[in-house]
Amino acid sequence: MSPPPAVWVSGLRKAYASHLALAGVDLAIPEGEFFGLLGPNGAGKSTLINILAGMVHRSSGRAEIFGFDVERDFRRSRQMLGVVPQELAYDPFFTVREFLRLQSGYFGLRHNDDWIDELMAELDLADKADANLRSLSGGMKRRVLIAQALVHRPPVVVLDEPTAGVDVELRQGLWRFMRRYNQEGHTVILTTHYLEEAEELCSRIGILQRGRLIALDAKDHLLARFTWRVLTVTFDKDPGPLPETLAGFLSGAGENTLVLRLDQSRHSLGAVLTALQDLPAQILDLHVQEPDLEDAFTDILGNMGLEQP
Amino acid sequence: MNEPTRSTHTLPAPPLMTPAAGLRFTPTWTLFYKEVLRFGKVWLQTVAAPLVTTLLYLVVFGHALGGRISVYPGVSYTAFIVPGLMMMAVLQNAFANSSSSLIQAKVTGNIVFLLLSPLGPGEIFVAMTAASIVRGVVVGLAILILALFYLHLPVIHPLWVLVFTLLGAGGMGALGLIAGLWAEKFDQIAGFQNFLIMPLTFLAGVFYSVHSLPPAWRKISLINPFFYVIDGFRYGFFAASDISVWLCLAVSAAFAAVTSFLAWRLLRSGYKLRQ
Ligand SMILES: Nc1ncnc2c1ncn2[C@@H]1O[C@H](COP(=O)(O)OP(=O)(O)OP(=O)(O)O)[C@@H](O)[C@H]1O
Ligand SMILES: [Mg+2]
């Protein structure tokens, strides 16, 4: 028998009074994966995470962490799960260290100072260890939120927009940290609105929209579906009117530059290049742009008709 | 296949010692400790303030009425009102502790850290109610110690004193949980305190024997559970009470049991905590 996946969700639905936040989601995330959960505002990402964390009751369907049901076996499932909530919250009564010790205690850990120190060092919080949480800046509070999710070294970490409102330097630090945590064998689930972040970190990506998982694939496959390329060509002078072979690809033009968009799977790049060389101007520069996750995302959402009610 | 399907952890996996049900010591203790730390950090407001209020009652009522009223033979009026004032403070502070802690955590959003933890409803109930009892006892003891500087007070049956303290404070800790779960704003907790707890404790025979009341008022007093808690508590001091100490025990225990059961049920259902 294979071990149960880190996260397993089947037919998961959540209906709020007037609104269907999750409309039947099926998802299995194997142990050790770095999974990206993407989707526009209100898609249901936080709802899904909150059901896994036991903060929201599901309407129907199943949700398990390492085979433990998130409600019936909540002690075990929560013990295995660390969650960085989307909303910035803190307890104004305590210092960073006090707070992290209390969180450790909630998870049954009494002597956890070594790991707490390591976490604080790693997240650049060491010099704030004895500062009251109230006195920390927003970015610092966000780091404490990440530290609290990890005090019990959970095998599954869920980060709900951990880098919202965080400066570039810290974001880089957090990426390194999350990647290391994942490389140590832990499962990491990340939601973010920064697509470059998901592209940088995640090996597999799911896209939620209006409570449905509309795409679920390895990041590379997701990108490979997008076979078009954008070709930017700079000439030494105005290349003049375009022959018919090229005109169909034209998607933009500037002073002495042409922007062509072509589908690699249907059009020969070689033929296009030959046609370009036949133009009465010399090519100074050539730039080929591959689609990134942002393009894929817009494209998928566009195909699904994001604008429709 | 012989290949290991699980990746190797360089960090140890979390302890799997958690039983599927029941009360676990460390998480429960941690929440209890946190709740005690919370009121300890603001002791001026949580302990000193009710102490001052109670001493003012004692001085003002004791002096104003001291020479004129005698409730039990051999017990001065000032001594008579001390246990009632103590229990009134115990009840009010036990309620204030759990209710304000919960509403604060809900309003500021840091309740999320408790909700994400593996603490079950029973553990949350035990820890928060126990912390409420501690706050009640600390305030009650402080009043007792200061009162002992001022007058002589016998403690004839200390066990009864203890039993009614635990039942009263425990029941109010549980009631505070219920109010804290139900309320969505600080205002509503304040309303609860000012329009329910305060009048009910004040009119629970702290300042007089119910036998001195007109019959209609006496009947009203007899449906007030705090009256029984205070009367039984006072019995522990003077070995004298308005009604049988056993009836007081039964009503006090029923009060604590009903509030506890309700609080636990609400916690278990995730009422206003988990949507
Ligand atoms: N407590 C609630 N009561 C009613 N509706 C809710 C509640 N919480 C969420 N919703 C609705 O459920 C839908 C999904 O919300 P959710 O927070 O899961 O979105 P999200 O994908 O996390 O969005 P964002 O990117 O903005 O964080 C939204 O339409 C939201 O309005
Ligand atoms: Mg969200």
Side-chain angles (χ1 to χ4, degrees), chain A residues 27-46:
Chain A
L27 177 64
I29 300 175
E31 186 179 11
E33 187 163 86
F34 204 128
F35 186 83
L37 185 62
L38 307 182
N41 289 132
K45 305 180 296 292
S46 297

Side-chain angles (χ1 to χ4, degrees), chain B residues 145-194:
Chain B
I145 289 166
L146 278 180
L148 286 177
F149 280 111
Y150 185 73
L151 44 77
H152 169 75
L153 196 68
V155 187
I156 297 173
H157 300 303
L159 204 60
W160 279 123
V161 171
L162 186 69
V163 165
F164 283 101
T165 306
L166 292 182
L167 289 176
M172 285 307 260
L175 191 63
L177 278 176
I178 296 168
L181 288 172
W182 164 79
E184 274 145 30
K185 296 182 289 192
F186 288 104
D187 273 13
Q188 293 169 318
I189 293 292
F192 221 104
Q193 278 171 316
N194 294 327

